[in-house]
Amino acid sequence: LGLAVRWLPLDAALGRPPSKLRIALMLKDHRGANLHPETEKAVRGAAKLCAGLGHIVEEVDPKLDLLALRPMNARIAAANTARSCTLRWKALGREPDAQDVEAATWAVYQRGLKVTAVEYVEAIAAAHAAGRRMAAFLTSYDMILSTVLAGPPPKLGYLDQNSADVETFAERVNTYLSVTPLHNATGTP
C-alpha cells in the first residue's frame, strides 16, 4: 500500500483545524475475550471523548485469526531469543548457561534452538499475511483505539520469570498481554 503524505510546516499545521478521524474501536483481546471491566471502561471513555471531539468511532473487529497466529508469534520470538542469547554468550566467550538467564528465557531459548528453517519461514509468512489483512482493514480507518493490556497491573510476583512452572508463566503473560499479539503479528504500532 502506498501512502501519500503532504508535509506542512509546524506553524501551518498548528493553525489548521484537526480533520475528522475514523477510529476502529476494539474491545476484545486476541482470543475474543472481554476486557477487564476497568480496562473496558477506560477504553470506552477514550472513545466517548474522541466522538465528542467529532471523530467517527465504530466498534469493529479486524477478523484476524489471532489464535492461529499465537504459535507463529511464539516461533519467531523463540528463534530470535535463541539467536540473541547465542550472540551474547559468544561475545562473553562462554557456553550457554541456564544460570545466566531467567527460567522462562531459558525455556524459550531451548525452544528456539528447535525451530526449523521451514517453521520459521512459515511463521514469518503468516505474520506478513496478517499484516496485509490488517493493512487492508486499516484502509477504512485512520487508527485503532484499544487497550494495550487486558486489565490493571497484576500483583508483584504474578509474572515470575524465574518460576519453575514456565507454562503457567507463559499462560499468564499471554492472558495479560492479550491485546499486543495483534500488533506484534501485524506490525502495527
Side-chain angles (χ1 to χ4, degrees):
L1 296 175
L3 299 175
V5 177
R6 184 171 164 245
W7 296 99
L8 294 174
L10 180 59
D11 59 346
L14 291 174
R16 289 177 40 186
S19 60
K20 186 182 290 191
L21 298 174
R22 288 186 48 89
I23 300 172
L25 175 62
M26 296 175 63
L27 295 172
K28 301 279 185 184
D29 71 8
H30 76 280
R31 301 159 302 159
N34 293 324
L35 302 175
H36 184 281
E38 286 182 50
T39 306
E40 183 176 340
K41 181 181 175 184
V43 175
R44 285 190 185 279
K48 185 177 179 181
L49 174 65
C50 290
L53 292 170
H55 302 297
I56 300 165
V57 180
E58 297 177 36
E59 187 175 341
V60 293
D61 179 351
K63 300 210 182 342
L64 293 170
D65 186 357
L66 294 172
L67 278 179
L69 278 175
R70 189 170 168 184
M72 300 302 176
N73 282 349
R75 283 182 194 154
I76 294 167
N80 279 305
T81 299
R83 178 183 178 274
S84 296
C85 288
T86 298
L87 288 173
R88 182 65 182 147
W89 282 311
K90 280 183 182 178
L92 293 172
R94 60 181 197 240
E95 291 298 311
D97 186 341
Q99 300 306 308
D100 288 339
V101 294
E102 300 89 353
T105 303
W106 183 256
V108 173
Y109 164 77
Q110 292 294 318
R111 251 184 254 137
L113 294 175
K114 296 174 185 162
V115 173
T116 69
V118 171
E119 289 171 333
Y120 183 78
V121 171
E122 286 173 346
I124 293 293
H128 288 179
R132 287 189 297 275
R133 285 191 301 276
M134 179 58 86
F137 170 77
L138 287 172
T139 61
S140 299
Y141 298 95
D142 297 302
M143 63 179 283
I144 295 172
L145 175 58
S146 72
T147 182
V148 174
L149 302 173
K155 294 190 182 294
L156 191 60
Y158 180 75
L159 300 174
D160 181 5
Q161 288 190 286
N162 277 315
S163 168
D165 187 354
V166 175
E167 292 308 315
T168 296
F169 166 77
E171 186 53 40
R172 287 177 174 181
V173 167
N174 283 323
T175 300
Y176 186 62
L177 301 178
S178 65
V179 180
T180 60
L182 166 71
H183 306 293
N184 292 343
T186 63
T188 55

